Amino acid sequence: MPVHLVEHPLVHDALVELRDKATVPDAFRRAARRISVLLAAEALRDAPSVPTAVETPIGAASGRRISSDIVVVPVLRAGLGMLDAVLELVPRARVGHIGLQRDELTAVASTYYAKLPAGLAASLVLVVDPMLATGGSAVAALRLLEDAGATNIRLVCVVAAPEGIAVVERQHPRVAIYTPALDRGLNPRKFIVPGLGDFGDRLYGTL
């Protein structure tokens, strides 16, 4: 599946604020919420819908409603910073959680928590994970979802490295990736360059 580079100017306005090392946690959280709403809207642009009709105070009106079951799965903990924004767009969405711990030396991700809704085979699953660096956490989360029956999965991230993109494309070629930024690469500590630092630490003020 192709990588969808999101070019909306409001996305990139929020991204600049997230990248700026001077952005304090409360402003970082607001920018994270802004960018997450816009990225989720792009990732759900072709979500299935059906015709419907409602009564306005003046008369009948036709429209469309989302018809697919949408499941949002944040990768803990940083992905939680994107969850509420997505739920503003799709309040009826079901939510799963995947907790992954990355070994700082090997960059290998291990699962410490996973709670997923049932019946994922018929769902459109949106995985939200702000940083796609080595790809280790992403492929671990995608593997858990595919093992649980998910077939229509989209990965939404704020910043991505070519190394992570390549790993996801190789191991999960059917998963579409949505991001506004494909950065230069990884440094020796496996952080994205230029990136924006540790998303979770900046989000929660735990630097």
Side-chain angles (χ1 to χ4, degrees):
M1 294 291 287
V3 176
H4 299 268
L5 285 174
V6 181
E7 298 291 352
H8 197 292
L10 293 177
V11 168
H12 286 269
D13 183 81
L15 178 59
V16 167
E17 189 165 5
L18 291 171
R19 288 195 193 271
D20 190 342
K21 66 180 183 180
T23 300
V24 295
D26 61 331
F28 191 93
R29 285 191 286 269
R30 288 195 298 272
R33 191 179 191 91
R34 277 201 298 144
I35 202 169
S36 299
V37 168
L38 294 162
L39 291 175
E42 185 64 27
L44 296 172
R45 176 187 290 272
D46 62 349
S49 63
V50 293
T52 190
V54 294
E55 287 291 328
T56 79
I58 310 301
S62 59
R64 302 189 69 83
R65 287 191 185 276
I66 295 295
S67 59
S68 72
D69 175 54
I70 295 175
V71 175
V72 186
V73 181
V75 176
L76 306 180
R77 70 181 166 148
L80 289 175
M82 304 176 72
L83 175 61
D84 286 347
V86 180
L87 291 178
E88 285 185 7
L89 291 179
V90 278
R92 296 190 303 274
R94 299 188 292 159
V95 179
H97 294 85
I98 294 177
L100 298 166
Q101 181 75 36
R102 190 180 83 160
D103 187 292
E104 294 299 328
L105 295 177
T106 66
V108 174
S110 58
T111 306
Y112 66 85
Y113 183 79
K115 184 69 172 180
L116 301 173
L120 294 180
S123 305
L124 193 167
V125 180
L126 213 60
V127 178
V128 290
D129 191 4
M131 311 298 287
L132 179 55
T134 66
S137 295
V139 297
L142 295 171
R143 189 178 305 115
L144 283 169
L145 286 163
E146 289 181 351
D147 288 347
T151 57
N152 186 0
I153 308 173
R154 301 174 185 188
L155 175 61
V156 178
C157 51
V158 174
V159 178
E163 295 91 332
I165 294 283
V167 168
V168 172
E169 288 184 332
R170 184 169 63 251
Q171 298 193 32
H172 300 277
R174 293 186 300 169
V175 173
I177 301 170
Y178 292 81
T179 183
L182 182 55
D183 280 8
R184 289 197 301 273
L186 303 177
N187 67 13
R189 295 182 58 206
K190 307 300 184 185
F191 278 88
I192 300 174
V193 180
L196 50 78
D198 187 297
F199 192 98
D201 282 341
R202 297 192 66 193
L203 185 74
Y204 297 116
T206 52
L207 290 168

